[in-house]
Every structure is written in structure tokens, then in C-alpha cells.
Amino acid sequence: MRLSALWPGGFAVFFLVAVVGGSLLTVVLQFRDSNLVEVLSDTYLHSVIRFTLWQAMLSTLLSVGLALPVARAYARQSHFFGRHTLVMLMGLPVVMPVIVAVLGIVSIYGHNGVINQLLRVTGVAPAFNIYGLSGILLAHVFFNLPLAVRLLLPAWEQIPGESWRLANTLGMSSSQLFRFIEWPSLTSFLPGTLVIIFLLCFTSFAVVLTLGGGPNATTVEVAIYQTLRFDFDPARATLLALIQLALCATIALAMIRWLRALPISQGLQLQTKDRPDCQALTYRIQDAVLIVASTLFIGLPIAAIVVAGLQGPILGVILDPVLWQATGRSLGIALLATSLASLVALGLAMTARRLVLEYRKPQATDIALWVGSLTLAVPPMVIGTGLFLWVLMTDMPQMTTLLLIALVNALMVLPYALRSIAPVLINSGRHYHRLCQQLGLEGWMRFRLIDWPAIRRPVAFAAGLGGALSFGDMGVAALFDTSGAITLPVMLYYRMSAYRFDEAAVTALVLVLISVLVFWLLNRTLGRWPS
Amino acid sequence: MIFLRKLAGLAASLPILVLPTAQAAVPQLTVYTYASFVSEWGPGPLIEQAFEKHCNCDLKFVGLEDGGALLSRLKLEGKRTAADVILGLDTALTGEAEQTGLLQEHNITLGSINLALPWSDLLFVPYDFGYFGFVYDSETLPTPPGSLEELVHDRDGPRIIIQDPRTSTPGLGLLLWMRKVFGTDDQAAWTALAPRIVTVTKGWSEAYGLFLKGEAPMVLSYTTSPAYHRQVEQNNRYQVAMFSEGHYRQVEVAARLSTSSEPQLAQNFLRFLLSDTVQNILPTTNWMLPSVRTGQGLPDAFRDEEVPERMLQFDSLEVRDQRKQWISRWLIALSR
């Protein structure tokens, strides 16, 4: 095996190991007074781990389980008015700052939410209480169902028109279509989706505390925050982070190994109009119900956020130059983080493809996706602390702050980028590998002429999502000096901590609108960027 | 290639996004504080302006997330810290801050200042203080409980939202308050209160946000919260329930660091914090009570009946030593 062939992935892996491992190591070396045995035998930690696993499993099953029929409905009804907008709306919840989303959810589903108020007035059913496990699950489905739909939809786009026509000739029923045509395509998308959503739910923090109703609902991430912030025991926090990483790595591996990707037939026409079951009235009604129900479930809390924002002091907030400076900084961070994540994802995917096609190592795809997803299991607080110590020890100037925030955000965006890019890049390789070898196309030329047109749309989607995600992320920004260089989410949070909830509502609306804009712009421009 | 050029353009524009780090000709005083102190609504900008008028120096605030973040930053940096003054620790954290050995005595004769609270600490200067209290919505809760005892034991009492003592200062404040009032019966009290706790949030903002959305008629906050609503929103709807056992007091303090290269300037700044100028700025920007009785007195929005008659507080060293144990007792009581 020529080592030089592996450099893009090697470089990406080196980068990940250097940032994650390096920052964890820095913390441990600086404060090495924690006892592993004592940490591992802590019964409080055991109960926290049990609860974290339990809620993450349930949340993942619910989110993905509900997303499957919804995604299928969208795939089946590929042309209706507003479809594009609705699919884009699906990208929104996951990029919203948690506190904004939680207040939106509560406005609809809370004690005093719209639904409970209606129930009280009409007396149809007793009012319900969301605080507790139900609240956690509701919020996690709100965040992750739409994400799962977005991540699973490409599975249908991979199915060639020939397959549908064949199914038509054979007179397949809807369930047979699912079993013989859709499921094989889904097998290469489901594991990655499950992994990402499981990791997001496992590491969930503010949602779990706020909607969980009490200290029974505590995740490992809460314990890490507590250890680092109030108990100030960085070594112990790092140990907890490693425990979390090990648990997540094991479960993610199990999820990836559980579903083997089935081979799917290749074809040239990617269209669904030949699907036998997309015209039948029963299925159209069924799809309509699913699409409307899921849109309401996700759309109502977002509408509540918009309404709250419109009721606030709009002019005062948007005429404030500080808001736009913060927006500028947030955009800079988002662009940097997304570019970095896309480059690393591309490197990993390229090398995985070489390993699969030239060296017959089919498991390389799984490993690349696995490694690239695990960055979600690393607590940003611990990484941030490690990076902060680096800056301190090397006397780097304070201006590196924004770069560091971008770096941590890039780690967070990487899994989405990888998940969108890798399967398509590897598929394109399967199609054109022989042809490229015959024509002697390689390197940059091959990337430009063959790969870019194929991965353009997934790259655009990942960049859009990543851009919006790190734009709206509070994450580690608050760890560093925020007095001058605040980002938009930090600004929103500060308004809230100064009683300015009405101004915060307007800021939240601005943030949501710009997130949509970032997503739309990146999706548009990159998705059509000619090679 | 266009893409690369755009990237290069972006990289070039980055320094503009970052604060200028130019060297100042005058001495610089770096003050670590919590973020809401330096936000545009906080006292920071006004204090900076007033201090720089006379000090012939450059006052630089560094805003961190909260008091807890402040202390952990100090511990993380140790002797390398760039801070000359640390401002914003509260009395639940001072015990631990003292233990770092990084602080220097203030050498200010506090006796000559008309303090509103008894204070004799050699390291810390109290710049303001407040009391934890339950704020209620008078439209949905016409008659609030009159004591902590009543809140805890009245089964038909109002539902409340509180903060987590593991992650938030008010949350820890309530834990100490309960401990002070119920002593070793604190666990039974928590268990009795548990059914009426709607939820326990990560921080003050989440809890107060949920309260304003109407998720519960009462929330753990400060006795000075209604003053904000009256002063800024001309709104009399939100009131604080005064409890007969007294309220737990939180004193916010500042201290100078022994590593500072500007000890004199740092001392001047600490003394300035107790001046009438700063003390008159604090109530309506930080929404706490000034620690000095100034000639001007409190703004109209602050009401005498909202100042508790009895003050409850643990010694900061006791808090330092017992905090972990008390939190685990709390966890056990609420996990039943």
C-alpha cells in the first residue's frame, strides 16, 4: 500500500487526534490528582450513566422511528407546493440555541402552553405535564426528528428510476417496495443517522436539566460541567469525558456493525415519478397527514419564537450596532468552522474511498464515519479548557479566541459534513473508478470533473447546516473572554441574564432568520458552484 | 480558485473581527468579572468611564460567564493570571477563592465607610449585596406563602421553579437557605417540597424565562427583582414573597491579586467601588443593594418592605467545607 495515497485521511485523523487528544492530555497533565478507581466506583455516577443511556436510547428510537415514515412521505410526494420550504424548515430546530428552542417548546406544550390552555378552555381532556422524561423526549424529538428526515432523505434520492419501473412491471405493493427497494438504500444511511442522534441525545445538557423536572434527570455532561465549574476538578472532568467517550464509541460501533450496508442497484436516472405507489389516493392522504402533523409539531414552537420576537422592541434591537458586530463575528466563526470541518470530512472520505476501491477494505467507510462522529461525544467544555491552557502556556495572543471557538465548532460540525459527503463520494467512486483509470484522470482534475458535480449538493447541505449550527451555537464561546468579542448567541444569553427577555426574544428571531439565511445561501451558492 | 481567493480574503478580514490589542501608554488595570456586569446594560461601562476620568489608566474588564466561571478561570491560570482585580465572587465562593493563595489584602479601612452590612474581611471588599427570594406573579397568585415553612409544608401551595445548586448560584443559595432554616431536617423539607417543584433549571435565565412564560406562579430569584420590573417596565405585576424566617443573603465581593504589577491602582479601584459614584450606579444596573449608604439613597423602585428584616448566612469557610455533602443530601432527597 502506498502511504502517500492515504495522506488526506491521515492528515484529517492527525488533526482530530491532535486537537482532541492534545487538549485532554493538557488538562490531565496539568491537574493529575484524580483517582480513576474512585471515579469509577462512584454510585452517583453509575445512576447518572444509567439515566443518560436510557433517555438517549429512547430519544433516538423515537426520533428515528418517527422520522422514517415522515421521510418516506416526503420522498413519495416529491413535487408539491412548498415542499422545498418545508424540507428547509427541517434543518432549523437543530441549529437553534437550546434555551430559545426550550422556551418555544414550552410556549406550545408547557403548563401554560397553547395546547394546555385550549384543553382547559374546552375541557376535552385534562391538562398534561411535560416536565420529566416526557419533556426530555418531546424536546429531543423536536430537535432530532427533522434532522433525521434530512439525513435520511438522500437514501431515496439514490434509488434509480430503473428500479421503480421494474417494481411497476412486477406490480409490487407499497410494503414490498419498502422491503426490496427502499430498505437496501436506507441501510447505508440509517447507521450514521442513528449514531449522530444518539450522540446528540447522550450529550444533551440544558434540555435535560430544564425539562427533566429534577435532579433525577442528570446526564454525564451535567456531571462534567459541575465537576469543571463548581467543584473545579479538571482531571476528574477529563476522566468523566473519557468515560463518556468510551461509552459512546462502543455504542456507536455497535450501531454501525448492526446494520450492514446492502448493495444497491446502480442507475442513471434518479427520479421517483415512476414509483407505483405515489399516485394512489390512500397513500397521498397518508403522506399528507404525516407531512402536516410533523410540520405542526416542529412548526408551532418555531412560530411561537417568531411571534414572541415580533412582540418585542424590534427597532431598538436591530438598530443596535453591537448586534451586527456580534452577527459579523458569529458569521466569521461559522464560515471558518464549516470550511475546516468540510476539509477534514473530505480528507477522511477520500482516503476511505481509496481504501474501499483500491485496497479492498470495505470496512474503511464505517471506520471513517465512526471516527468522524465521535467528536460529538467529546464535551466542548473539556476541549475548551484544554485549548485555553494551550493558549495560556504558549502565551498566544488573545485574538486566537475566535479561532479557538471556530475550532471547537468545527469538531461539532464534522459529523454532519462527513455523513453527507462520504456515502456520495464513495458511490461516485464505485460508478466512475474504472472510467477514471482508463482515462488517466486523477488528482485535482478527477476531483473537479467527476467528484465535485456528485458531491456538490451534499457538501452544500452540510456546509449550510454546519454554518447555521455554529452560527447559533453558544457552546464554548462563553468560556473565553466575552466582554468585547461576543457572538450573537452569547449576546442573546446576556440579555436574558439582565432581565431583558423581550429584547432576547427579538435577538432570537434575528438569530433564527440569519441561520435560515446562512443555510439557504450556502446551500444555494455551493450547490450550484460549477466545477 | 475563486474559492481559495475568497478564503484568503476571509482570513485577511479576521483581525478586524477581533479586538485590537494595541499597547497602551498608560498603566492598564485588568479586572475579571462576570459577563452581565460588563454588558451594555450592566454597571461596567459606567464604572469604566468614571474611573478612567481620574486614574490616568486604562481599565479593562474581562467578562466571563458567571461567578463560578470566574473562580475556575483564576484556578486555571494560577500565578500566570493577567487579572489585577477579581470582581463578582459571592460569599458562597470566597472560601475557595481564599484557598488559592492568589489574593492580597485590600488594606482599606472599612470602618470609615458607612457600610450597610457588617463587614471586616481583610481580603474581600463587598461592593453590593442581595437576598434570595421567591418572586411571584400577583395575577395568578394573589396570596403568596408568608414563610419558607409554609411554602414547604402547604400541600396546596404554589408550584415553583428553582435552579440547580450543582450549576447555579441562586440554586446553591436556596440550598443554604433551606439548610439554615431547617437544619438537619433539610432532607425532609426538600422531600415535602418536591411535588411542587415544576422543574430545576441549569441557571437563573432558564428559570426566570419559564416563569415569565407562566409555567409556574413562583420562581427563585432575588428580592430586588420586582424593582427591575417597576423601574424599567413600569410593571407592578411581579412581587417578591417576604418570608418570616428571614432571607439568605448573598454578598458580592472584589479582591486584588498578589501577582498584580499594579497593586496601588488595584487598591484605588477597590476603594472606588465603595465610593458614592459607583454605589449610586449599582442598584439600577446590577439590580442589587448598594453596600454603602450613600447620601442619595435608594432609587424609588426599591422598596423598604422588600428588604428582609432578618438576614441568614453561613460562614464562607463552612460553605466551602460542607457544600459537597449538602448537595449530595439534596440529590438524595429529591431523587426519592
Side-chain angles (χ1 to χ4, degrees):
Chain A
M1 193 185 296
R2 278 187 308 143
L3 273 177
S4 62
L6 304 178
W7 71 265
F11 184 75
V13 169
F14 172 77
F15 168 79
L16 290 179
V17 171
V19 174
V20 175
S23 51
L24 293 183
L25 203 65
T26 315
V27 180
V28 170
L29 288 182
Q30 196 82 352
F31 305 91
R32 54 183 130 188
D33 49 353
S34 230
N35 180 347
L36 181 63
V37 181
E38 184 222 328
V39 172
L40 284 176
S41 58
D42 181 355
T43 51
Y44 167 58
L45 181 66
H46 294 171
S47 69
V48 167
I49 290 177
R50 265 199 305 278
F51 177 79
T52 312
L53 281 171
W54 172 235
Q55 64 82 17
M57 284 288 180
L58 281 180
S59 304
T60 311
L61 285 179
L62 265 178
S63 305
V64 179
L66 292 170
L68 269 173
V70 175
R72 194 176 188 225
Y74 273 102
R76 209 148 51 176
Q77 307 304 328
S78 57
H79 295 283
F80 64 87
F81 179 74
R83 181 182 188 271
H84 192 75
T85 315
L86 289 184
V87 171
M88 198 157 109
L89 178 81
M90 294 276 183
L92 206 49
V94 78
V95 307
M96 283 200 278
V98 169
I99 188 166
V100 172
V102 165
L103 289 180
I105 289 171
V106 161
S107 311
I108 303 298
Y109 306 105
H111 273 303
N112 198 31
V114 173
I115 294 181
N116 266 332
Q117 281 185 14
L118 279 177
L119 289 180
R120 275 187 211 109
V121 172
T122 56
V124 179
F128 60 89
N129 173 19
I130 63 163
Y131 297 94
L133 187 61
S134 52
I136 297 173
L137 295 180
L138 185 105
H140 282 166
V141 172
F142 171 80
F143 284 113
N144 298 313
L145 180 146
L147 177 69
V149 170
R150 295 287 326 232
L151 290 175
L152 291 175
L153 262 181
W156 277 273
E157 289 163 11
Q158 298 270 308
I159 300 171
E162 289 91 330
S163 298
W164 296 124
R165 278 200 294 280
L166 186 64
N168 222 343
T169 324
L170 293 172
M172 282 188 180
S173 70
S174 187
S175 56
Q176 283 169 329
L177 286 179
F178 185 74
R179 207 175 133 199
F180 296 112
I181 297 182
E182 295 168 280
W183 180 250
S185 179
L186 274 168
T187 50
S188 50
F189 287 85
L190 258 181
T193 308
L194 284 169
V195 166
I196 283 189
I197 291 176
F198 177 80
L199 294 181
L200 285 175
C201 296
F202 192 98
T203 54
S204 178
F205 176 1
V207 166
V208 171
L209 268 190
T210 308
L211 295 176
N216 272 338
T218 296
T219 54
V220 181
E221 196 86 9
V222 178
I224 291 171
Y225 181 89
Q226 177 195 358
T227 313
L228 206 51
R229 181 51 57 80
F230 269 53
D231 300 346
F232 195 75
D233 191 345
R236 189 186 163 94
T238 313
L239 277 179
L240 291 175
L242 286 175
I243 292 171
Q244 167 160 314
L245 191 60
L247 272 171
C248 289
T250 315
I251 292 165
L253 194 64
M255 282 175 167
I256 290 173
R257 306 286 302 187
W258 164 67
L259 259 188
R260 305 296 321 143
L262 299 169
I264 54 166
S265 49
Q266 307 290 346
L268 295 174
Q269 283 174 299
L270 305 174
Q271 46 186 284
T272 52
K273 73 172 182 344
D274 296 316
R275 241 192 112 119
D277 64 346
C278 67
Q279 296 302 327
L281 187 65
T282 24
Y283 293 122
R284 290 180 71 165
I285 293 174
Q286 188 190 321
D287 291 344
V289 168
L290 279 169
I291 289 171
V292 169
S294 60
T295 304
L296 282 178
F297 175 71
I298 300 153
L300 284 176
I302 298 176
I305 294 165
V306 174
V307 170
L310 291 177
Q311 285 170 344
I314 300 176
L315 275 183
V317 172
I318 62 170
L319 292 180
D320 182 357
V322 180
L323 179 90
W324 299 106
Q325 286 159 14
T327 306
R329 271 181 227 111
S330 287
L331 282 174
I333 290 172
L335 272 175
L336 262 177
T338 310
S339 315
L340 196 56
S342 301
L343 283 178
V344 173
L346 215 53
L348 280 172
M350 290 283 223
T351 297
R353 180 171 77 175
R354 281 200 97 118
L355 286 171
V356 171
L357 296 178
E358 292 176 24
Y359 300 101
R360 312 254 165 245
K361 301 238 182 291
Q363 64 277 38
T365 321
D366 289 351
I367 293 172
L369 285 174
W370 181 65
V371 169
S373 303
L374 282 178
T375 52
L376 281 181
V378 189
M381 279 280 285
V382 177
I383 294 283
T385 305
L387 292 178
F388 177 80
L389 281 171
W390 269 7
V391 175
L392 192 70
M393 291 190 302
T394 51
D395 281 326
M396 276 193 264
Q398 277 293 315
M399 79 153 260
T400 42
T401 301
L402 288 185
L403 295 178
L404 289 184
I405 297 173
L407 192 62
V408 181
N409 278 347
L411 292 181
M412 204 180 60
V413 170
L414 176 66
Y416 305 95
L418 198 60
R419 180 93 300 264
S420 314
I421 295 169
V424 187
L425 193 73
I426 291 165
N427 252 338
S428 134
R430 286 213 180 91
H431 276 215
Y432 300 111
H433 190 56
R434 288 254 171 90
L435 187 68
C436 290
Q437 280 183 324
Q438 282 164 3
L439 295 175
L441 264 184
E442 45 181 29
W444 175 245
M445 282 301 273
R446 175 174 174 180
F447 179 77
R448 205 165 68 101
L449 295 176
I450 308 293
D451 294 331
W452 178 246
I455 62 166
R456 189 160 59 196
R457 286 186 55 214
V459 166
F461 167 65
L465 186 70
L469 195 73
S470 51
F471 181 78
D473 180 57
M474 171 79 182
V476 292
L479 259 182
F480 300 100
D481 172 17
T482 47
S483 48
I486 50 171
T487 61
L488 202 55
V490 171
M491 187 173 185
L492 172 104
Y493 194 75
Y494 290 170
R495 289 210 146 109
M496 285 188 177
S497 49
Y499 288 97
R500 260 74 184 178
F501 285 89
D502 50 347
E503 289 176 19
V506 183
T507 315
L509 179 59
V510 171
L511 198 147
V512 167
L513 288 178
I514 296 180
S515 295
V516 172
L517 200 69
V518 167
F519 185 73
W520 182 78
L521 269 181
L522 281 175
N523 216 346
R524 266 293 155 105
T525 48
L526 274 182
R528 295 180 181 177
W529 201 314
S531 41
Chain B
M1 279 296 106
I2 300 170
F3 181 65
L4 282 181
R5 220 173 299 148
K6 284 187 181 173
L7 259 187
L10 176 76
S13 67
L14 259 179
I16 304 170
L17 301 174
V18 184
L19 269 187
T21 48
Q23 289 288 314
V26 289
Q28 182 174 299
L29 188 74
T30 306
V31 178
Y32 282 9
T33 185
Y34 50 84
S36 60
F37 196 88
V38 278
S39 75
E40 53 179 307
W41 317 273
L46 296 169
I47 291 177
E48 184 174 345
Q49 209 182 7
F51 189 64
E52 283 179 353
K53 220 180 266 177
H54 305 291
C55 73
N56 188 30
C57 72
D58 177 22
L59 177 60
K60 183 174 175 269
F61 281 116
V62 172
L64 301 167
E65 197 177 354
D66 54 21
L70 208 54
L71 183 57
S72 56
R73 168 63 66 93
L74 202 61
K75 288 183 178 172
L76 211 53
E77 291 183 338
K79 287 195 178 342
R80 292 170 195 265
T81 185
D84 299 300
V85 170
I86 177 166
L87 182 156
L89 295 176
D90 74 0
T91 26
L93 295 175
T94 48
E96 281 178 55
E98 201 173 334
Q99 225 171 14
T100 62
L102 293 168
L103 305 177
Q104 191 185 357
E105 293 186 358
H106 52 66
N107 292 339
I108 297 173
T109 329
L110 293 171
S112 60
I113 297 164
N114 188 10
L115 286 177
L117 70 171
W119 195 265
S120 56
D121 197 283
L122 297 175
L123 287 177
F124 300 101
V125 171
Y127 61 89
D128 66 16
F129 68 104
Y131 299 89
F132 296 112
F134 282 91
V135 171
Y136 66 96
D137 179 351
S138 61
E139 281 180 19
T140 52
L141 185 69
T143 45
S147 66
L148 201 56
E149 178 81 33
E150 194 185 331
L151 175 75
V152 166
H153 291 296
D154 180 7
R155 281 163 192 251
D156 303 318
R159 290 144 52 89
I160 57 169
I161 297 172
I162 62 170
Q163 297 84 348
D164 197 314
R166 295 171 296 173
T167 52
S168 105
T169 312
L172 183 59
L174 179 61
L175 185 96
L176 300 175
W177 192 2
M178 292 280 278
R179 178 81 197 181
K180 199 82 195 174
V181 171
F182 296 99
T184 47
D185 294 332
D186 57 343
Q187 278 187 310
W190 277 111
T191 313
L193 182 62
R196 272 159 288 121
I197 299 175
V198 172
T199 194
V200 183
T201 66
K202 179 189 167 203
W204 179 88
S205 305
E206 288 91 350
Y208 213 78
L210 290 177
F211 166 70
L212 291 179
K213 289 259 176 219
E215 289 299 287
M218 252 184 149
V219 66
L220 176 67
S221 185
Y222 296 88
T223 57
T224 43
S225 299
Y228 170 83
H229 295 286
R230 278 194 292 266
Q231 173 101 6
V232 180
E233 300 171 346
Q234 284 80 46
N235 185 347
N236 221 4
R237 178 173 173 182
Y238 302 107
Q239 306 280 340
V240 63
M242 297 311 289
F243 285 172
S244 58
E245 300 97 340
H247 289 242
Y248 198 85
R249 190 178 71 184
Q250 179 193 29
V251 183
E252 294 196 295
V253 301
R256 57 177 177 162
L257 283 112
S258 52
T259 48
S260 167
S261 55
E262 299 286 344
Q264 184 58 47
L265 198 55
Q267 194 199 31
N268 291 349
F269 180 73
L270 292 180
R271 194 176 282 123
F272 183 68
L273 286 177
L274 298 177
S275 69
D276 279 15
T277 317
V278 172
Q279 292 292 314
N280 285 332
I281 291 174
L282 284 168
T284 53
T285 49
N286 214 29
W287 302 101
M288 295 286 269
L289 299 165
S291 55
V292 176
R293 292 192 189 89
T294 67
Q296 193 179 314
L298 277 174
D300 290 342
F302 288 78
R303 294 193 176 157
D304 288 341
E305 63 268 26
E306 283 169 3
V307 178
E309 283 165 15
R310 285 192 59 196
M311 177 280 283
L312 307 173
Q313 195 167 10
F314 280 107
D315 182 66
S316 65
L317 296 179
E318 195 175 356
V319 177
R320 184 190 69 195
D321 298 336
Q322 301 292 328
R323 187 175 54 93
K324 276 194 180 175
Q325 195 215 332
W326 290 346
I327 287 181
S328 11
R329 287 175 64 83
W330 174 83
L331 275 173
I332 293 166
L334 281 198
S335 297
R336 272 179 201 150

